[in-house]
Amino acid sequence: AQKVTQAQTEISVVEKEDVTLDCVYETRDTTYYLFWYKQPPSGELVFLIRRNSFDEQNEISGRYSWNFQKSTSSFNFTITASQVVDSAVYFCALSDNNAGNMLTFGGGTRLMVKP
Amino acid sequence: NAGVMQNPRHLVRRRGQEARLRCSPMKGHSHVYWYRQLPEEGLKFMVYLQKENIIDESGMPKERFSAEFPKEGPSILRIQQVVRGDSAAYFCASSPVRGAADGYTFGSGTRLTVV
């Protein structure tokens, strides 16, 4: 069965601090896909990144970076020099061959960036 | 090119009434997925539909909930005889191909409040 765990339910930082959001997943498949979504206070879901299980290269996009480690089944997300606009709930999600029609979401991490 | 359109954005129903949530997928997308987000939780898969067919309803509650995606018109998620526990955000997503591997485009959600 698939499972995604985001152990940090809430994180509070001061602007300009770096922050890492943890994501640990479980799957029996060797082919799977990992995602991060952002849910700002307005409520919509914003796609951030998709990663397949065969690509372990870390990725950087501006202030965002992702660290994918198969050995620890983790797909962590780091925001560098956080800004108030980064305040949101962030969800990690998994799709694998066993449940190919659906995304399995973690419980989310609420990030609060204070000025 | 409009994204996934959901309406209404907010819906208030009294206990025992019916709730109808609508979702128009992105142009060219024939696969629609419904997810539910209970307060302070992650999203949970409900149902996956293609035009005129329910493909996977493994996440749908057994009673009072139904979904359709007719040949013409939007997909509808219908909740009969609503109860307070149905209060949640309901998200629709669409994709051009089957499955979640490529990720979805989510709508902005419908927030249902049962009073």
Side-chain angles (χ1 to χ4, degrees), chain B:
Chain B
N1 188 17
V4 178
M5 305 300 292
Q6 288 189 250
N7 65 81
R9 193 75 195 269
H10 299 275
L11 182 62
V12 179
R13 284 288 176 266
R14 296 186 185 280
R15 279 178 294 173
Q17 290 184 322
E18 178 179 287
R20 281 182 167 246
L21 288 62
R22 292 176 209 81
C23 169
S24 296
M26 285 185 70
K27 190 175 181 180
H29 288 193
S30 59
H31 303 259
V32 165
Y33 313 81
W34 286 93
Y35 283 73
R36 178 165 67 173
Q37 184 181 25
L38 294 169
E40 305 301 319
E41 291 187 16
L43 282 77
K44 297 283 196 300
F45 171 81
M46 298 181 76
V47 62
Y48 160 44
L49 310 103
Q50 256 188 296
K51 282 286 185 182
E52 300 184 273
N53 290 305
I54 296 174
I55 308 299
D56 181 351
E57 55 181 349
S58 57
M60 285 281 267
K62 295 286 181 258
E63 297 175 347
R64 302 188 296 107
F65 285 72
S66 62
E68 62 178 15
F69 188 17
K71 190 175 179 182
E72 302 290 337
S75 175
I76 306 287
L77 179 67
R78 183 177 174 214
I79 311 172
Q80 293 178 290
Q81 299 174 325
V82 295
V83 301
R84 288 233 172 97
D86 297 333
S87 295
Y90 292 83
F91 287 92
C92 169
S94 72
S95 65
V97 297
R98 179 176 179 140
D102 290 336
Y104 308 137
T105 301
F106 279 95
S108 296
T110 292
R111 275 133 193 94
L112 172 66
T113 302
V114 179
V115 297

Side-chain angles (χ1 to χ4, degrees), chain A residues 39 42-43 50 91 100-101 103, chain B residues 9 35 37 99-101 104 111:
Chain A
Q39 187 175 42
S42 49
R50 167 186 178 267
F91 292 100
N101 296 320
L103 288 176
Chain B
R9 193 75 195 269
Y35 283 73
Q37 184 181 25
Y104 308 137
R111 275 133 193 94

Side-chain angles (χ1 to χ4, degrees), chain A residues 8-27:
Chain A
Q8 307 147 308
T9 53
E10 201 166 290
I11 300 176
S12 182
V13 298
V14 177
E15 210 171 16
K16 296 184 184 172
E17 284 184 10
D18 298 348
V19 58
T20 295
L21 283 59
D22 297 335
C23 172
V24 174
Y25 61 91
E26 292 177 31
T27 175

